[in-house]
Structure formats: structure tokens, C-alpha cells
Amino acid sequence: MSLSFEESVRFIQGINALPAAGISADAATISGASDAAVAAGSSVAFVSDLDSQMKADVLNSTLLAQINSDFLHDRETDPRSWYNTYLQTLMVVGWEVKEFDFTLIRDTDNFLTGEELFLDYVSKYMPQREFDLFRKMMTALQQPQNSDASKLLDDQARNLKMSNWQAGVVSNQGGNPSFKINAFLCSASWTLEHAIFFKLRQGGGDIEISAEHQEMYLDLAKYSQYRALVLGQLGNNAQLLVRDIDI
């Protein structure tokens, strides 16, 4: 998607970023120095070579894309349209990203839990150092000190029997953030316990899980033109829908 600067500004200004309902601003825990964070229905771990501004740019830009998609489409029941808008919004603010092309995971019977399956999938696409950080983030999300972050992701990414969430690792590539993102769509015949952390075998019930992996890049020179506008559109959501993860 190629827009002029003026067209991009109008696109961002047209995003309806309504204040998140039912979330207390007092619960926000954003330091800018954390090694991982949840932004709405996405969990992100950061390699140590990113500064606080780069982390904030990744979280804010991807959060705006989620909010725009959430306003226009049902995240769980219409994921294809949701991801088309997510992709479009990311590209407008400066991300280099490809179309999301989900593949059905056919060996779900080989795993006892969603977490085991997700870790197996991600391990095929990440260098060991980054995968170790990803696994550490997943483990941390289940710890009591990160219950607010885990609940936020679950609230934003799950609707009873379905979930639609993203998780990945961001590193510094030549001064720009590189995000190895994994996206998962889950649809079960039973109510999932959590968007990520659930048992796969539920008395013969059926579940479908599709996944997509890609590496996308944020052009900071381009994004810097829209940074203030993105923050303005997000408003309090930049605090309400982000939680640090203590890893």
C-alpha cells in the first residue's frame, strides 16, 4: 500500500481509537526499560540492543494497528479481514510487512497444551538466542507477578472458544526494529481457559489452530514523521492497553 504523506496522515487521523473499557489507568505498568511487554492481544520480547524509544515505537505502532482492526472487524470471528486491516495500518505508519498467510497446523494431537504447540512452531523460525528469549517470555506470562499482563492479553485476544493473538521477538537491525512475529488463530469446540495457555485434549473435542510467521521491519525514518500523530490517536490507550512483563 503506497500513500502520500498527506494521505497517510488522513488515514491515521481517521482511526477510531476509543478509550479501552473496563481497564483502570492505575494498573498500567510501563517503564520503557522492560525486556518484554503485552500490547493488547500481542506479546513482545526485546533483545537487549534496543533502546526505550525503539521499544515504544514498536508497541505503539502495533497497538494502533490492533485498535484499528478491532474497531472495524471482529477479531475472533473475522480474522482474515482483521489481519488485512492490521497489515494496511502497519504499512501506513512505516512497517515493511507481507500479507498474513495462515497455515493449518495438522499435528495438534502430538501436544498436550497450546503452549507446547506454539513453542514447537516458533522454534522452527527463530535463532536459538531469540527463541530462548521467546520461551522465557511465555514462561513469565504464567507467573503471578505478570498476572495483569496475562489477563490483558487474554481479555483482548480471546472470545470464549476462539483466540487471535501475536507474539514475537524484536531486535535491532541496522538501527531499525526487526520484529519476528508469530500470529495464531485458535478455534475450539470448548471454552478455552486462556488465549494462549489451554489444554488441547478436552474429552474428544475438536480444535483448529492456524499460524503464520514472518519478519517485518519498522522504518524509523518514516515512522518518526507519524510518531506524534500515532501517540495522539492512541491517547490513554498507550497506557491502558500495555503492560510490562517481568522476565
Side-chain angles (χ1 to χ4, degrees):
M1 181 180 184
S2 179
L3 299 179
S4 68
F5 174 76
E6 291 77 13
E7 289 171 329
S8 296
V9 167
R10 287 194 294 271
F11 180 96
I12 297 169
Q13 289 175 332
I15 294 175
N16 287 282
L18 301 175
I23 302 176
S24 170
D26 295 336
T29 56
I30 305 169
S31 67
S34 178
D35 291 330
V38 163
S42 180
S43 182
V44 186
F46 298 102
V47 175
S48 59
D49 58 356
L50 283 93
D51 60 32
S52 59
Q53 184 63 67
M54 293 173 77
K55 294 176 183 179
D57 289 345
V58 169
L59 292 173
N60 290 330
S61 59
T62 55
L63 177 58
L64 187 71
Q66 290 184 74
I67 287 173
N68 194 27
S69 293
D70 285 343
F71 183 83
L72 295 172
H73 312 288
D74 188 293
R75 186 181 189 119
E76 286 77 32
T77 63
D78 190 11
R80 307 296 172 173
S81 298
W82 192 94
Y83 274 101
N84 285 339
T85 297
Y86 182 71
L87 170 73
Q88 181 184 34
T89 309
L90 290 176
M91 293 176 69
V92 167
V93 299
W95 282 96
E96 296 177 16
V97 56
K98 298 178 295 184
E99 183 177 352
F100 284 81
D101 183 17
F102 285 87
T103 301
L104 180 66
I105 297 177
R106 300 188 180 278
D107 59 348
T108 56
D109 289 343
N110 295 338
F111 305 93
L112 292 175
T113 67
E115 180 191 6
E116 290 178 5
L117 183 152
F118 303 138
L119 287 173
D120 178 76
Y121 176 85
V122 172
S123 69
K124 300 170 184 176
Y125 296 100
M126 283 188 181
Q128 189 63 47
R129 174 173 172 245
E130 294 183 5
F131 175 69
D132 288 344
L133 179 58
F134 181 92
R135 180 169 51 192
K136 188 176 180 181
M137 173 180 66
M138 295 283 278
T139 299
L141 270 173
Q142 299 174 76
Q143 302 306 310
Q145 67 268 27
N146 295 311
S147 59
D148 282 349
S150 180
K151 184 179 185 303
L152 173 64
L153 187 146
D154 184 45
D155 288 345
Q156 296 295 312
R158 178 176 64 94
N159 180 9
L160 298 178
K161 300 177 181 181
M162 303 178 190
S163 66
N164 170 5
W165 57 281
Q166 306 86 41
V169 173
V170 179
S171 60
N172 186 333
Q173 296 291 331
N176 289 312
S178 164
F179 190 179
K180 293 184 177 69
I181 186 172
N182 306 275
F184 296 96
L185 304 175
C186 309
S187 178
S189 60
W190 67 88
T191 298
L192 299 173
E193 304 98 305
H194 187 278
I196 302 174
F197 308 112
F198 54 83
K199 295 177 182 177
L200 281 172
R201 299 177 185 177
Q202 296 281 352
D206 297 321
I207 188 167
E208 279 195 0
I209 299 177
S210 298
E212 154 75 342
H213 169 88
Q214 64 170 285
E215 186 170 5
M216 57 189 200
Y217 302 89
L218 180 58
D219 182 344
L220 289 179
K222 181 176 180 180
Y223 179 74
S224 65
Q225 302 176 73
Y226 308 116
R227 182 182 288 124
L229 185 58
V230 168
L231 285 171
Q233 287 300 110
L234 284 174
N236 287 342
N237 287 311
Q239 286 75 43
L240 296 175
L241 293 176
V242 178
R243 298 288 184 277
D244 286 345
I245 302 173
D246 180 7
I247 63 172

